[in-house]
Amino acid sequence: MSATTSPPAAVQAGPSHAHGNTPLAALTLAALGVVFGDIGTSPLYAFKEAFTGHHALPATPAHILATLSALLWAVLLIVSVKYVWIVLKHDNDGEGGVLALTALAHRMAGDHSRRAWLVIGAGVFAAALFYGDAIITPAISVLSAVEGISVATPRFEHAIVPITIVILIGLFLIQKKGTGSVGIFFGPITIVWFLSLAAVGAISIAKTPEVLQALSPLHALRFAIQEPSAAFLLLSAVFLALTGGEALYADMGHFGRRAVRLAWYGLVFPCLIINYFGQGALVLRDPSAVSNPFFLLIPESLRLSMVILATAATVIASQATISGAYSLTLQASRLGYLPRIRILHTSDREQGQIYVPSVNWWMLLGVIALVLAFGSSGALAAAYGIAVSGTMIITTLLTLIVTRLSKARGRHVLMAVLILFAALEFFFFASNLAKLLQGGWFPLTMGAMLFLMLTTWKEGSRLVAEQRRRIDIPMDDFINGPLPDVPRVAGTAVYLTSDTGIVPSALFHNLKHFKVMHEQTVFLHVINENVPYIQPNERLVLTHLSDQVWELSVRFGFREEPDIPAALQTLQDTTLRLDAMGTTYFVARSTVVDGPGNLPAWRCALYSWMTRQAEGAATYYRLPPNQVVELGTQVML
């Protein structure tokens, strides 16, 4: 049995965010510790990559000023304007992220139009690319921080990779504890990190104030005109300063747009730019410092301390992307693109704090493999930009669709601005494609594989539902005809069904094997809505079908944890009397076999494998283990 996703026209429910009554200052501090970890650690490698990467520029004053100018205006336009000011306005009932935006665009586009399916395909592919980003971010962030050891104490250079792996293993091992116990430290550490970035950057700028010439976009424009090929390749390095921008939108639901904006404009953005310009000033004074300008910017006596602080900051950055991967997995499962997966909530108060064991261990294996395969942050930088730039383009296009379908005033001006952003991001994506053979193939390959899995599950589930509708008896025939002449036993039988139009196969198996019916029969249908939360008074819809037979629809938002027994306790209808101890839940588990060719054999095998990995309905819906009867069925695709 698999729950269905409701049509986009479903009634929207209000959010139940915990930050509703939380002071703005507290939310801003929390946002600093989670939202900005990824983009906040970009100074470790972004500026350096322009002069040491696969398409390195000579460290001349003109190139340094052009790089800083391009970096400043890219961050200003893409992050400060597009994400923080424009995209944060387009939430799905308070929630952000590419899947939430996809659900919103799908609902506005309609359920059957070609445009709706294009929206879904683009959003799902962006989600698949995000997983690639979530694996690369911990590897490149921690590697770049630990590489500071070679600057502080060169004799430990050979230990960079082993130390990185140990830190990453420790990071993934503590995920099951949840972020609640260490979350209070994230904000203060991040504040110290950003203030340190600004302090060392300001000191360097004071020594070489001519670096401030790069505030003008003319340096970047002149470089693009005089050396267009080099400027095009430079974009892939500049783009590294934008990575993490997607997290500002994805984590909006946890903290609210006001807190994210206040933290960005008030602290993060100025501190980042000051540090980038400080690195540029250092390289203007000493071109050899381009080998590692971030750590060479630090006084020698403080470098080891900065390595420790940088490592802590990168662990926080990694934590943010890992948590993002958990949230994305939860949303994909709720929307019907993944099977039921074991998801553990690690906090009694914060619903967003979850732990997904299977995702955690697969990510750990992937991160370790990346560290061993690439060996340095510079090598990983080649693989980093493609996934993020692809996701950014799709986010812009989805925002454009939502804007186009809305009736808001001034939407045509906003659409024109979004088209310009999409064009700029396309250039970033194309520039990153130049590093395809150096590692850019990895996120694209991984994204394509995950996209195939997500769409295979969605299509396979649709075909299974269609076959059941052809084979099983329509519910109307069952209800309008005479009920089976079998003895009635005390209690209530709840049959979980994914299609209210047909009689659950578990009922016929029950009649075949036990030859009885319960006094009360309930056909329970779980609906996963395309909105994050459902109000309690809209949770249940009860319909009386015939003598002691009911249909019950239970609605959950894609950010909620399905708990059927808890939902049933809120039933107010007095015609159906539910005794918790007298209720038996019947579920069917399907075995998929290759059939007449609706799916290619290899996709059928993939869907069958994913079916076997799915968490059982009893555990997923929190059914009492001693009150569940599971019956097997065979389905051909």
Side-chain angles (χ1 to χ4, degrees):
M1 174 266 174
S2 61
T4 61
T5 302
S6 69
V11 178
Q12 296 187 44
S16 57
H17 303 307
H19 60 255
N21 297 316
T22 306
L24 181 60
L27 286 173
T28 304
L29 178 64
L32 282 169
V34 176
V35 176
F36 301 100
D38 191 0
I39 198 168
T41 54
S42 296
L44 286 165
Y45 47 80
F47 182 76
K48 177 182 73 171
E49 179 67 13
F51 301 97
T52 62
H54 292 282
H55 306 291
L57 292 172
T60 64
H63 288 158
I64 293 169
L65 294 178
T67 299
L68 289 174
S69 179
L71 190 150
L72 165 66
W73 287 94
V75 174
L76 182 62
L77 292 174
I78 299 299
V79 182
S80 295
V81 178
K82 175 200 157 182
Y83 274 105
V84 180
W85 188 251
I86 296 177
V87 176
L88 287 189
K89 295 180 180 179
H90 295 79
D91 63 280
N92 186 347
D93 198 26
E95 289 297 326
V98 67
L99 275 184
L101 183 60
T102 300
L104 175 63
H106 186 197
R107 185 167 64 245
M108 297 179 68
D111 201 26
H112 301 292
S113 67
R114 179 180 300 178
R115 179 173 54 192
W117 292 113
L118 289 175
V119 165
I120 292 174
V124 172
F125 187 66
L129 287 177
F130 179 84
Y131 282 105
D133 175 30
I135 290 179
I136 296 174
T137 294
I140 191 173
S141 299
V142 177
L143 256 179
S144 60
V146 177
E147 283 170 352
I149 293 177
S150 64
V151 179
T153 53
R155 65 179 181 273
F156 287 110
E157 185 173 1
H158 65 281
I160 289 175
V161 170
I163 292 174
T164 299
I165 291 176
V166 169
I167 292 173
L168 289 169
I169 291 175
L171 173 64
F172 281 91
L173 284 176
I174 65 172
Q175 292 302 308
K176 61 183 178 182
K177 301 293 184 182
T179 58
S181 59
V182 295
I184 58 173
F185 298 107
F186 283 8
I189 291 175
T190 309
I191 290 177
V192 172
W193 168 252
F194 283 120
L195 292 178
S196 299
L197 294 183
V200 297
I203 293 172
S204 179
I205 293 172
K207 294 178 181 178
T208 314
E210 54 264 33
V211 74
L212 295 177
Q213 298 176 52
L215 291 172
S216 170
L218 294 178
H219 287 278
L221 293 174
R222 189 181 303 116
F223 177 60
I225 294 172
Q226 294 175 351
E227 303 181 54
S229 298
F232 176 75
L233 296 174
L234 173 65
L235 290 177
S236 63
V238 171
F239 185 79
L240 294 175
L242 309 178
T243 57
E246 193 74 22
L248 310 186
Y249 180 46
D251 289 322
M252 176 180 62
H254 296 291
F255 309 105
R257 64 171 64 94
R258 292 181 62 199
V260 172
R261 285 173 174 167
L262 179 60
W264 173 256
Y265 293 127
L267 179 68
V268 178
F269 175 59
C271 290
L272 289 176
I273 297 304
I274 291 172
N275 187 265
Y276 282 125
F277 273 64
Q279 292 185 45
L282 171 64
V283 179
L284 283 175
R285 295 192 303 270
D286 179 13
S288 65
V290 78
S291 61
N292 201 325
F294 178 84
F295 284 106
L296 291 174
L297 197 62
I298 314 299
E300 187 173 355
S301 60
L302 298 177
R303 281 176 190 164
L304 188 57
S305 299
M306 195 62 176
V307 169
I308 296 174
L309 179 60
T311 303
T314 56
V315 167
I316 294 172
S318 303
Q319 177 67 59
T321 57
I322 294 170
S323 299
Y326 295 161
S327 298
L328 187 66
T329 301
L330 174 64
Q331 293 185 17
S333 180
R334 296 286 190 267
L335 293 172
Y337 290 97
L338 282 175
R340 291 186 297 267
I341 298 175
R342 186 181 180 221
I343 296 173
L344 305 177
H345 286 248
T346 58
S347 172
D348 293 334
R349 293 174 296 177
E350 300 296 331
Q351 189 172 357
Q353 294 183 16
I354 61 175
Y355 169 63
V356 187
S358 57
V359 173
N360 187 72
W361 302 125
W362 279 111
M363 285 184 66
L364 174 59
L365 293 176
V367 169
I368 292 177
L370 282 178
V371 171
L372 293 175
F374 288 87
S376 69
S377 61
L380 266 173
Y384 199 21
I386 290 182
V388 186
S389 57
T391 303
M392 282 188 173
I393 291 174
I394 294 174
T395 297
T396 301
L397 295 178
L398 290 174
T399 306
L400 181 62
I401 292 173
V402 171
T403 303
R404 170 67 179 82
L405 296 175
S406 71
K407 303 300 181 182
R409 294 175 57 185
R411 67 181 185 276
H412 297 295
V413 175
L414 182 55
M415 287 172 59
V417 173
L418 288 170
I419 290 172
L420 291 176
F421 282 137
L424 179 58
E425 289 165 347
F426 175 79
F427 281 113
F428 279 120
F429 181 74
S431 179
N432 279 295
L433 282 179
K435 300 185 293 186
L436 186 65
L437 298 180
Q438 286 76 37
W441 57 268
F442 171 78
L444 289 181
T445 302
M446 183 175 179
M449 293 173 60
L450 289 171
F451 178 78
L452 179 63
M453 292 180 65
L454 294 172
T455 54
T456 295
W457 181 259
K458 189 73 170 180
E459 179 66 9
S461 299
R462 184 187 67 82
L463 292 174
V464 167
E466 286 184 356
Q467 184 179 122
R468 284 178 174 171
R469 282 194 294 270
R470 290 195 304 266
I471 297 176
D472 294 339
I473 296 176
M475 182 66 72
D476 289 341
D477 294 347
F478 178 78
I479 296 302
N480 296 327
L483 292 178
D485 185 17
V486 293
R488 296 290 186 110
V489 296
T492 302
V494 176
Y495 293 92
L496 274 66
T497 177
S498 59
D499 190 339
T500 57
I502 60 176
V503 178
S505 58
L507 173 60
F508 290 106
H509 285 286
N510 186 34
L511 292 171
K512 176 181 177 181
H513 294 289
F514 304 114
K515 298 178 176 58
V516 295
M517 283 187 66
H518 286 71
E519 286 180 335
Q520 298 183 131
T521 299
V522 178
F523 300 119
L524 189 146
H525 178 52
V526 176
I527 301 175
N528 289 324
E529 297 283 12
N530 281 343
V531 294
Y533 302 96
I534 299 297
Q535 296 288 5
N537 62 341
E538 298 174 342
R539 177 82 63 198
L540 303 175
V541 177
L542 183 66
T543 304
H544 184 259
L545 299 179
S546 66
D547 182 32
Q548 299 299 300
V549 179
W550 290 265
E551 176 189 305
L552 179 61
S553 296
V554 186
R555 302 169 63 218
F556 295 102
F558 62 79
R559 287 297 301 269
E560 295 183 288
E561 180 178 355
D563 189 331
I564 287 178
L568 294 183
Q569 290 179 5
T570 65
L571 184 65
Q572 301 296 323
D573 196 299
T574 57
T575 61
L576 175 60
R577 304 177 307 279
L578 289 178
D579 177 14
M581 297 305 297
T583 300
T584 303
Y585 298 90
F586 290 88
V587 298
R589 176 176 285 271
S590 300
T591 300
V592 179
V593 295
D594 191 14
N598 292 316
L599 273 183
W602 63 272
R603 289 194 80 183
C604 181
L606 175 60
Y607 179 79
S608 178
W609 176 81
M610 295 179 71
T611 300
R612 293 192 296 272
Q613 310 311 309
E615 187 177 23
T619 303
Y620 187 78
Y621 292 115
R622 292 195 165 190
L623 303 180
N626 59 344
Q627 295 174 237
V628 176
V629 176
E630 188 172 277
L631 301 169
T633 60
Q634 189 176 78
V635 179
M636 290 195 303
L637 294 182

